[in-house]
Structure formats: C-alpha cells, structure tokens
Amino acid sequence: MRFDPDEIGTQNTYKLLVATVMPRPIAWVVTKDAEGRVNTAPYSFFNVMGPSPPTVAIGVMADPEKGFKDTSRNILDTGEFVVNLVPERLVKAMNVTSIDAPRGIDELELAGLFTVASDRVRPPRIAESPVSFECVSLSSVVTGPSQVVVIGRVLAIHVADDCVLDAERAHVDTPRLDLVARSYGSDYVRSRDTFSLVRPKWSEWDGRDSDEISKGS
C-alpha cells in the first residue's frame, strides 16, 4: 500500500511513522528557562547521531494553537538541555511529566522525582535516571511551520555506578539499565528480549545463496 503524505495529511502521516518506526528511544529532557524554572518532558523522536563529537537529535513539534512546549522553547532559547533515559521503574513518572501543565509548573515535582546538579550545563539531571547526557545545542533545523529538529552535542555522560562493568573500557551493563522505548499509540516496549548477529566481513564471505540467508538458514 502506497501513502502520499501530501495527500493523507499530517495526522495520518504521524500514525504511519510511529506505527512503523519502533521501538523509539525516549529522550526525557530537562531544561531551564531564563528565570531558572525547570521543565521536563519526554520526546520519542530522538536518537544518537554519531560519536565524534557525540551528537543527539530530537524532533520537537508545536501545537498549532499553543505553540511549542516549555521544554522545547527552553532548548531553542537557551541552547542547553539534559537528556535522561527511562528505565521501566520510572515509566509512570515519565508519563506524568508529559502532562499539558501551565507554563512554569515543575513536572518533576508533580512526578515526585529529584534532580542532581549537572556539571557542564545549567539544567539538572534526573537523579533516578540510570543514564543522562548533558547537552548544548549545535543547531536547530526548521523542517516545518510547527516542527524543529534540535541537534545537540553531548558534553558529559552519566551512567549509574551499578551499571558500569569496566569504567576504563567504557563497558556498560546494558540489560541492567532496563530501558524502555516507545511503540505505537500509548504502548511501550522493554529492552530485555534481544538476539545477536555477527556482522559479515567481505574477506570471509562464503558466497551463500541470498535465498538461504533470507530464509534464516
């Protein structure tokens, strides 16, 4: 079935994207406005984009009537933000911070969460999150009248001590992080069900028939 975004409209295009591009990692973003007020919101149009320099990208969308959320506006205004990742034990608290609260409300306080001061940026990080990235905005790309992609540089990475296997070699106990991701609708997925594949090397390619590979032989 072929869909033309220009014909089906934004709402149906959104449905197709979120129903097919999954799981999507969640950026639980903390910012501060010019008055120093903290705002928090989750975004699932998010991923890392490279290690040198370490780069993240977040897609932020504005409500046609209300405009950008406070967190999104703060990123655009101040250029500083912290991306926290979401373990399953905090998924309900994360959901609380998605509330459409009036401007100036501290969503972390609503969710009963605590913060820790960041080292390189003004916004704090969520104390209970097992992974936090302190970021500054490199650029913002306007992709539509109510849509912006924020590209950020990671200045500091925090990982919970009990999830670090070897600090010198940067080995992390990923399963212990117990992170969740967005699926479609209001559904989420866990990161526990995994499998491994060895990336092929041309020098070792044995010429197996592609049909065998596609059938899982």
Side-chain angles (χ1 to χ4, degrees), residues 112-189:
L113 296 169
F114 298 94
T115 59
V116 177
S118 296
D119 296 325
R120 305 286 300 277
V121 296
R122 290 179 301 162
R125 51 195 177 90
I126 298 174
E128 295 91 335
S129 175
V131 181
S132 299
F133 303 125
E134 298 183 25
C135 305
V136 292
S137 177
L138 289 173
S139 64
S140 299
V141 182
V142 177
T143 58
S146 58
Q147 185 172 282
V148 175
V149 176
V150 175
I151 302 171
R153 178 169 183 166
V154 180
L155 301 182
I157 302 171
H158 301 268
V159 181
D161 291 347
D162 62 354
C163 294
V164 177
L165 298 173
D166 187 328
E168 185 175 346
R169 301 175 68 185
H171 287 180
V172 173
D173 187 349
T174 302
R176 188 176 179 86
L177 297 176
D178 197 25
L179 300 177
V180 297
R182 278 297 302 274
S183 181
Y184 54 90
S186 297
D187 289 351
Y188 294 79
V189 295

Side-chain angles (χ1 to χ4, degrees), residues 2-44:
R2 176 180 178 274
F3 297 93
D4 188 330
D6 290 334
E7 295 179 359
I8 65 176
T10 300
Q11 185 175 7
N12 282 342
T13 299
Y14 173 83
K15 292 177 184 178
L16 289 173
L17 292 176
V18 299
T20 56
V21 182
M22 58 77 66
R24 299 185 308 282
I26 302 169
W28 203 3
V29 182
V30 178
T31 61
K32 274 189 175 182
D33 65 14
E35 288 74 40
R37 295 175 296 188
V38 174
N39 287 100
T40 309
Y43 295 86
S44 64

